Amino acid sequence: MRILLLSDIHSNAEAMEACLATAPPRDEVINLGDVVGYGASPNEVISQSRGLGGVIVRGNHDKVVAGIDSAESFNPIAGVAALWNRGQLNSEAIGWLESLPKGPVVINSLPGIECVHGAPDDEDRYVVSPEDAAEQLVKAPARITFFGHTHIQGAFQLRGKFVRALHPAYETVAKTESWDLPLEEESSYMINPGSIGQPRDGDWRAAFAVFDSDQRTVSFWRVPYEVRSAQEKILAAGLPARLATRLAAGR
C-alpha cells in the first residue's frame, strides 16, 4: 500500500496544490493535522483536505480555530492568524474541524502504525531531538509513528538502545526532489513528512512524504510552489507581514 503523508498545511492553498500535483498515485492519505492557521486560505485547504478523505488527526491550530482551545497559549502572531482563520469559516467548516480526532489514531489495515500530531503521549508535544524521540519510541506500542507539529522533515530511528536523527539530503532548494529512506525491520521509527504550508528547516519548498508499506520505504519530497501568491494573500488579508516573509526563508 502506498500512503501519501501530509502535515501542517496551515491554510497555504498554493503549497498544497503543488504537492498534490506532484505526489505519485496513492492508495491512502494520512493528514497529521494543522490544516489551518497562519495562512490566508483556510476555506480552500479545508475543502481540499475533505475531498482527499483518508485518515486525519487534529493539530493544535485546528483546535484553536475550531474554538476547542484558546489562543492564549499561542504567540501573538499565531493567535491573530488563528482568530482570523476562524472568522473566515462557516459553521460547517468549523464543525468539521471540531470533529477531527485526537491522536494517536491507528489504521486497521496497517498494523504497527499510529498517527499523531505532536507525540503519542501528548498531541501538543514537540519532538525535535533524539532525546525527545527516545522518550516516545521506547514506550510506543507501534513500530512506526507518523507525526508532524515541528515543521521539520525527517525521521528518528530507534535501533537497539540508540536513537538517531535522519534528514533528507537534497541537491538544491530550487526544484522538485525526493529522497528515499529504507526502513529496517528491527528498528522503530518516528517519521515527519514536514510542513506543506510553512517549513521551518531552512528549505522554503513545500514538504510531504510517501510511505510504501510493501517496500518498507519512505520517500520524502520537496516541491517549489507559487510562494509569492501565498504571500500576497496573507498581506491582502491584513495578517502580520512576518507570516508572509518567513515563507520565502523556510523558517
Side-chain angles (χ1 to χ4, degrees):
M1 181 180 290
R2 185 180 286 174
I3 301 169
L4 175 62
L5 302 171
L6 312 175
S7 191
D8 297 281
I9 302 165
H10 281 299
S11 297
N12 189 333
E14 287 78 8
M16 187 174 188
E17 288 164 3
C19 289
L20 295 179
T22 302
R26 64 270 182 180
D27 304 299
E28 181 65 276
V29 177
I30 294 176
N31 187 323
L32 300 167
D34 274 359
V35 175
V36 292
Y38 291 133
S41 301
N43 286 292
E44 292 87 340
V45 298
I46 286 177
S47 178
Q48 288 171 320
S49 298
R50 296 180 72 175
L52 287 172
V55 176
I56 186 166
V57 297
R58 70 187 186 185
N60 54 315
H61 286 256
D62 301 325
K63 291 189 293 180
V64 172
V65 173
I68 296 171
D69 274 357
S70 167
E72 291 180 0
S73 63
F74 281 3
N75 67 59
I77 291 177
V80 166
L83 295 177
W84 182 90
N85 270 237
R86 184 190 303 175
Q88 306 308 303
L89 301 178
N90 61 30
S91 59
E92 182 183 8
I94 293 289
W96 181 78
L97 287 175
E98 289 176 336
S99 72
L100 297 180
K102 176 183 178 180
V105 171
V106 298
I107 305 169
N108 293 332
S109 59
L110 291 169
I113 291 175
E114 64 181 359
C115 307
V116 303
H117 181 64
D121 67 352
D122 184 342
E123 62 180 337
D124 296 332
R125 188 186 304 281
Y126 287 93
V127 178
V128 296
S129 69
E131 292 76 19
D132 296 334
E135 183 179 350
Q136 304 298 320
L137 285 165
V138 297
K139 60 186 179 184
R143 297 300 294 271
I144 298 175
T145 300
F146 296 126
F147 76 109
H149 200 32
T150 67
H151 299 211
I152 299 173
Q153 189 180 60
F156 295 102
Q157 177 190 20
L158 172 63
R159 180 197 287 163
K161 296 181 180 180
F162 301 97
V163 174
R164 63 170 179 159
L166 304 164
H167 296 291
Y170 297 116
E171 294 182 0
T172 75
V173 290
K175 62 183 181 179
T176 297
E177 295 182 78
S178 64
W179 185 83
D180 294 340
L181 173 65
L183 303 184
E184 298 175 1
E185 289 283 354
E186 300 305 316
S187 292
S188 295
Y189 294 89
M190 292 189 72
I191 296 167
N192 190 327
S195 172
I196 288 180
Q198 195 186 95
R200 293 180 185 166
D201 52 8
D203 187 334
W204 68 275
R205 295 172 295 177
F208 70 93
V210 176
F211 171 59
D212 190 318
S213 62
D214 297 323
Q215 299 297 320
R216 285 190 61 80
T217 60
V218 175
S219 298
F220 294 101
W221 288 77
R222 298 308 281 253
V223 183
Y225 71 96
E226 294 294 332
V227 67
R228 172 165 288 195
S229 176
Q231 291 174 317
E232 289 175 348
K233 288 181 180 178
I234 288 170
L235 297 174
L239 290 166
R242 170 63 177 152
L243 294 173
T245 58
R246 74 185 309 173
L247 293 181
R251 293 292 184 189

